[in-house]
Amino acid sequence: MISIIIPVVNEADVIEKNIANIRNACSTNDVEFIIVDGGSTDGTIAIAEKLSVTVVRCEKGRAKQMNHGALFAKGEILYFLHADSIPPLQFDQKILNAYQNGAAIGCFRLAFDYKHWFLKANSWFTRFDMNAIRFGDQSLFVVKNVFLKSGGFREDMVIMEDQEIIHRLKKHGKFIVLKDEVITSARKYLDNGIFKMQGIFFIIWAMYYLGYSQEHLLKEYKKLINKHKL
């Protein structure tokens, strides 16, 4: 079984549609959905509880929410997916095929739900196995015992937790980038300006690798980004 773990905070406007789209992308019913709510106030929980999924509550923080969801997972493979991202058709079978061929960790390539040459060019780089360009928007699958060996996501991190864990996971198993694409929302780019948003992401990325604290990164993130929900 694959356990699909989706951290959410105030996603009432997209959660029902996206769960339906994810289900339509599945090739079998041998998956479970775990929605991990971080304190929504907009009806997200009420909507999710009607969708035949497991809904659990947790302190806000994507790393904390994803770790908490993993505690409830019955599947041998964990699949972490953002609430505004849709995996490719038959993604579950493609993950299982990769697992059966020896991959313990992996992700898909990335594409955006908005057509723009710069976003397309940006997405092109996600086909390469480079830690520096590995982010949660691409989704992440990992064998559960490998995830546990790695220690899971660092809960003291509110930014770049998806980048940090890849370095540790790769110490415990084979990693693969699957050729199909996860479609993710371009809403942050549209809210902030496509080129400006990419520039901001680069600043945050560079500050992280230069050793700035999480507090400093979060302050900069909130200062620079409109509608700065993490």
Side-chain angles (χ1 to χ4, degrees), residues 57-72:
R57 293 174 172 86
C58 177
E59 183 181 348
K60 182 180 178 181
R62 197 158 53 209
K64 293 178 182 178
Q65 289 171 248
M66 291 189 288
N67 283 344
H68 193 65
L71 296 176
F72 293 85

Side-chain angles (χ1 to χ4, degrees), residues 1-8 15-36 48-49 51-56 69-70 72-75 77 79 81-83 85-87 91-92:
M1 180 185 287
I2 297 175
S3 298
I4 304 170
I5 300 169
I6 306 175
V8 300
I15 190 68
E16 185 170 8
K17 178 182 177 182
N18 283 7
I19 292 295
N21 287 336
I22 296 166
R23 281 193 168 124
N24 289 336
C26 288
S27 59
T28 72
N29 292 321
D30 197 19
V31 298
E32 67 169 347
F33 287 80
I34 302 173
I35 305 298
V36 190
E49 287 176 340
L51 301 177
S52 299
V53 301
T54 299
V55 180
V56 297
F72 293 85
K74 299 175 184 176
I77 299 174
Y79 184 48
L81 186 67
H82 287 186
S85 298
I86 307 298
F91 70 93
D92 51 334

Side-chain angles (χ1 to χ4, degrees), residues 60 113 132 142 156 230:
K60 182 180 178 181
D113 63 357
V142 55
D156 61 323
L230 289 170

Side-chain angles (χ1 to χ4, degrees), residues 2 62 116 119 170 175 207:
I2 297 175
R62 197 158 53 209
H116 189 282
L119 295 179
K170 285 185 173 182
F175 178 87
M207 290 174 64

